[in-house]
Amino acid sequence: MVVYKCSKCNKTWQHPVGICPFCMSPLERVKSSLSFKVVGISKVSIPSLLHPKVPYYGLVLEDDKGTKFAYKTYKKYSIGEMIDYETSSHKDQVSIWRVNYEILDALESIVELSQLELSKGMKVLVLPTLSSPNHSYFRDNTSPKFLEAVISLLTSKGIKDIKIAQQSFLD
């Protein structure tokens, strides 16, 4: 998980707010660990339009640096219980990570959990799906934000030989 921390007043946010609303300083993107302690629980039993499946639990998680996160789950936890995301080196592994606020955070988590080796000197071919000449929010095409996050992740790992090809299943 990623948090956004103000280096001036030391406040943190779980979502990218851009600048600190208290001191107007730029925020630093800080990667959290993959181990959390449950420090707060709220059971929700009343459905809403955005959360029709009940009961669910709103957890407050704390990492080893003391940063707290909100987390929704259907599994029941107890205060003090640890939640650990484990990595795998099995060749048939599958990594699925939900995009919360930032696609780059989700991609980094998938690479970390799957122990995918991204290193300098690699050659990478990216094949975005281009089904029709329309905007990405119609979900026919690969989102430009997703493509930008993939390229950003690859370049942050020192990969410079990146080719972007074109792919369409209809034409």
Side-chain angles (χ1 to χ4, degrees):
M1 291 184 136
V2 169
V3 292
Y4 303 88
K5 187 172 186 174
C6 178
S7 56
K8 191 173 180 182
C9 62
N10 214 28
K11 295 186 184 305
T12 58
W13 286 267
Q14 195 171 344
H15 38 274
V17 293
I19 61 170
C20 177
F22 294 95
C23 67
M24 300 304 176
S25 296
L27 299 179
E28 180 183 342
R29 192 172 178 271
V30 179
K31 191 87 172 141
S32 175
S33 68
L34 291 174
S35 181
F36 304 95
K37 181 179 180 181
V38 177
V39 296
I41 302 171
S42 178
K43 181 179 179 180
V44 179
S45 300
I46 300 171
S48 67
L49 286 175
L50 296 176
H51 305 277
K53 184 179 173 187
V54 291
Y56 67 87
Y57 302 90
L59 304 180
V60 178
L61 304 177
E62 185 176 50
D63 69 2
D64 55 353
K65 298 173 189 164
T67 306
K68 293 181 176 62
F69 299 90
Y71 183 73
K72 177 186 170 185
T73 183
Y74 293 101
K75 183 178 175 187
K76 189 174 184 176
Y77 286 94
S78 301
I79 300 267
E81 199 169 342
M82 295 299 292
I83 297 176
D84 296 309
Y85 294 99
E86 298 176 8
T87 60
S88 172
S89 58
H90 193 272
K91 72 178 186 99
D92 295 329
Q93 69 196 351
V94 174
S95 293
I96 300 172
W97 195 265
R98 182 174 171 248
V99 175
N100 286 326
Y101 302 106
E102 187 181 81
I103 295 170
L104 181 58
D105 174 38
L107 290 173
E108 287 173 343
S109 297
I110 288 170
V111 168
E112 186 176 349
L113 287 170
S114 63
Q115 294 184 349
L116 183 63
E117 295 291 328
L118 296 176
S119 58
K120 291 181 182 177
M122 288 182 83
K123 293 181 179 182
V124 176
L125 174 65
V126 180
L127 287 170
T129 300
L130 302 171
S131 297
S132 59
N134 62 23
H135 298 285
S136 62
Y137 51 80
F138 288 123
R139 301 294 184 238
D140 292 333
N141 300 324
T142 300
S143 162
K145 289 183 179 182
F146 181 82
L147 190 56
E148 180 183 1
V150 169
I151 294 168
S152 178
L153 174 68
L154 294 172
T155 56
S156 73
K157 299 292 184 181
I159 299 171
K160 295 185 184 337
D161 193 355
I162 303 168
K163 303 278 190 254
I164 300 176
Q166 181 178 335
Q167 152 177 281
S168 175
F169 296 111
L170 302 176
D171 299 331

